[in-house]
PDB file of all heavy atoms in Angstrom:
ATOM      1  N   ALA M 113     -55.059 144.357  63.425  1.00  0.00           N
ATOM      2  CA  ALA M 113     -54.821 145.452  62.482  1.00  0.00           C
ATOM      3  C   ALA M 113     -53.872 146.479  63.078  1.00  0.00           C
ATOM      4  O   ALA M 113     -52.936 146.938  62.412  1.00  0.00           O
ATOM      5  CB  ALA M 113     -56.142 146.103  62.085  1.00  0.00           C
ATOM      6  N   ARG M 114     -54.092 146.842  64.340  1.00  0.00           N
ATOM      7  CA  ARG M 114     -53.217 147.805  65.021  1.00  0.00           C
ATOM      8  C   ARG M 114     -51.781 147.309  65.019  1.00  0.00           C
ATOM      9  O   ARG M 114     -50.853 148.040  64.693  1.00  0.00           O
ATOM     10  CB  ARG M 114     -53.701 148.030  66.448  1.00  0.00           C
ATOM     11  CG  ARG M 114     -52.771 148.888  67.281  1.00  0.00           C
ATOM     12  CD  ARG M 114     -53.179 148.825  68.764  1.00  0.00           C
ATOM     13  NE  ARG M 114     -52.178 149.418  69.589  1.00  0.00           N
ATOM     14  CZ  ARG M 114     -51.142 148.759  70.117  1.00  0.00           C
ATOM     15  NH1 ARG M 114     -50.973 147.480  69.887  1.00  0.00           N
ATOM     16  NH2 ARG M 114     -50.262 149.385  70.860  1.00  0.00           N
ATOM     17  N   GLU M 115     -51.582 146.042  65.385  1.00  0.00           N
ATOM     18  CA  GLU M 115     -50.238 145.470  65.437  1.00  0.00           C
ATOM     19  C   GLU M 115     -49.569 145.506  64.063  1.00  0.00           C
ATOM     20  O   GLU M 115     -48.412 145.903  63.938  1.00  0.00           O
ATOM     21  CB  GLU M 115     -50.308 144.035  65.944  1.00  0.00           C
ATOM     22  CG  GLU M 115     -48.962 143.354  65.984  1.00  0.00           C
ATOM     23  CD  GLU M 115     -49.046 141.917  66.483  1.00  0.00           C
ATOM     24  OE1 GLU M 115     -49.866 141.629  67.370  1.00  0.00           O
ATOM     25  OE2 GLU M 115     -48.268 141.102  65.963  1.00  0.00           O
ATOM     26  N   LEU M 116     -50.298 145.110  63.031  1.00  0.00           N
ATOM     27  CA  LEU M 116     -49.706 145.090  61.688  1.00  0.00           C
ATOM     28  C   LEU M 116     -49.377 146.493  61.188  1.00  0.00           C
ATOM     29  O   LEU M 116     -48.354 146.703  60.546  1.00  0.00           O
ATOM     30  CB  LEU M 116     -50.637 144.364  60.713  1.00  0.00           C
ATOM     31  CG  LEU M 116     -50.667 142.854  60.888  1.00  0.00           C
ATOM     32  CD1 LEU M 116     -51.828 142.246  60.115  1.00  0.00           C
ATOM     33  CD2 LEU M 116     -49.344 142.237  60.460  1.00  0.00           C
ATOM     34  N   ILE M 117     -50.233 147.451  61.488  1.00  0.00           N
ATOM     35  CA  ILE M 117     -49.980 148.831  61.051  1.00  0.00           C
ATOM     36  C   ILE M 117     -48.761 149.390  61.772  1.00  0.00           C
ATOM     37  O   ILE M 117     -47.895 150.015  61.151  1.00  0.00           O
ATOM     38  CB  ILE M 117     -51.235 149.705  61.252  1.00  0.00           C
ATOM     39  CG1 ILE M 117     -52.328 149.253  60.274  1.00  0.00           C
ATOM     40  CG2 ILE M 117     -50.899 151.183  61.059  1.00  0.00           C
ATOM     41  CD1 ILE M 117     -53.703 149.821  60.565  1.00  0.00           C
ATOM     42  N   LEU M 118     -48.661 149.155  63.083  1.00  0.00           N
ATOM     43  CA  LEU M 118     -47.480 149.621  63.818  1.00  0.00           C
ATOM     44  C   LEU M 118     -46.209 148.963  63.284  1.00  0.00           C
ATOM     45  O   LEU M 118     -45.172 149.604  63.172  1.00  0.00           O
ATOM     46  CB  LEU M 118     -47.638 149.358  65.319  1.00  0.00           C
ATOM     47  CG  LEU M 118     -48.647 150.242  66.038  1.00  0.00           C
ATOM     48  CD1 LEU M 118     -48.851 149.763  67.476  1.00  0.00           C
ATOM     49  CD2 LEU M 118     -48.238 151.701  66.004  1.00  0.00           C
ATOM     50  N   ARG M 119     -46.285 147.685  62.942  1.00  0.00           N
ATOM     51  CA  ARG M 119     -45.124 147.003  62.353  1.00  0.00           C
ATOM     52  C   ARG M 119     -44.757 147.600  61.004  1.00  0.00           C
ATOM     53  O   ARG M 119     -43.585 147.820  60.722  1.00  0.00           O
ATOM     54  CB  ARG M 119     -45.418 145.522  62.142  1.00  0.00           C
ATOM     55  CG  ARG M 119     -45.302 144.720  63.368  1.00  0.00           C
ATOM     56  CD  ARG M 119     -45.575 143.284  63.047  1.00  0.00           C
ATOM     57  NE  ARG M 119     -45.634 142.549  64.289  1.00  0.00           N
ATOM     58  CZ  ARG M 119     -45.291 141.300  64.412  1.00  0.00           C
ATOM     59  NH1 ARG M 119     -44.861 140.630  63.383  1.00  0.00           N
ATOM     60  NH2 ARG M 119     -45.370 140.709  65.573  1.00  0.00           N
ATOM     61  N   ALA M 120     -45.762 147.803  60.173  1.00  0.00           N
ATOM     62  CA  ALA M 120     -45.505 148.354  58.843  1.00  0.00           C
ATOM     63  C   ALA M 120     -44.824 149.712  58.938  1.00  0.00           C
ATOM     64  O   ALA M 120     -43.891 149.997  58.196  1.00  0.00           O
ATOM     65  CB  ALA M 120     -46.816 148.479  58.055  1.00  0.00           C
ATOM     66  N   MET M 121     -45.280 150.530  59.853  1.00  0.00           N
ATOM     67  CA  MET M 121     -44.755 151.883  59.971  1.00  0.00           C
ATOM     68  C   MET M 121     -43.443 151.947  60.748  1.00  0.00           C
ATOM     69  O   MET M 121     -42.652 152.853  60.545  1.00  0.00           O
ATOM     70  CB  MET M 121     -45.799 152.777  60.651  1.00  0.00           C
ATOM     71  CG  MET M 121     -47.075 152.950  59.852  1.00  0.00           C
ATOM     72  SD  MET M 121     -46.809 153.779  58.278  1.00  0.00           S
ATOM     73  CE  MET M 121     -46.304 155.386  58.854  1.00  0.00           C
ATOM     74  N   GLY M 122     -43.218 150.988  61.643  1.00  0.00           N
ATOM     75  CA  GLY M 122     -42.061 151.079  62.516  1.00  0.00           C
ATOM     76  C   GLY M 122     -40.945 150.092  62.239  1.00  0.00           C
ATOM     77  O   GLY M 122     -39.947 150.074  62.947  1.00  0.00           O
ATOM     78  N   CYS M 123     -41.088 149.264  61.220  1.00  0.00           N
ATOM     79  CA  CYS M 123     -40.107 148.209  60.973  1.00  0.00           C
ATOM     80  C   CYS M 123     -38.703 148.776  60.770  1.00  0.00           C
ATOM     81  O   CYS M 123     -38.500 149.705  60.000  1.00  0.00           O
ATOM     82  CB  CYS M 123     -40.501 147.395  59.740  1.00  0.00           C
ATOM     83  SG  CYS M 123     -39.373 146.038  59.398  1.00  0.00           S
ATOM     84  N   VAL M 124     -37.737 148.200  61.500  1.00  0.00           N
ATOM     85  CA  VAL M 124     -36.331 148.596  61.359  1.00  0.00           C
ATOM     86  C   VAL M 124     -35.519 147.499  60.657  1.00  0.00           C
ATOM     87  O   VAL M 124     -34.303 147.518  60.670  1.00  0.00           O
ATOM     88  CB  VAL M 124     -35.689 148.939  62.727  1.00  0.00           C
ATOM     89  CG1 VAL M 124     -36.355 150.158  63.332  1.00  0.00           C
ATOM     90  CG2 VAL M 124     -35.724 147.757  63.665  1.00  0.00           C
ATOM     91  N   GLU M 125     -36.231 146.542  60.074  1.00  0.00           N
ATOM     92  CA  GLU M 125     -35.623 145.466  59.294  1.00  0.00           C
ATOM     93  C   GLU M 125     -34.652 144.609  60.092  1.00  0.00           C
ATOM     94  O   GLU M 125     -33.610 144.202  59.602  1.00  0.00           O
ATOM     95  CB  GLU M 125     -34.964 146.019  58.026  1.00  0.00           C
ATOM     96  CG  GLU M 125     -35.941 146.692  57.104  1.00  0.00           C
ATOM     97  CD  GLU M 125     -35.344 147.068  55.761  1.00  0.00           C
ATOM     98  OE1 GLU M 125     -34.232 146.620  55.423  1.00  0.00           O
ATOM     99  OE2 GLU M 125     -36.011 147.815  55.034  1.00  0.00           O
TER     100      GLU M 125
END
Side-chain angles (χ1 to χ4, degrees):
R114 173 192 169 270
E115 178 180 324
L116 286 167
I117 292 167
L118 288 172
R119 281 181 188 211
M121 296 297 294
C123 182
V124 295
E125 298 188 12

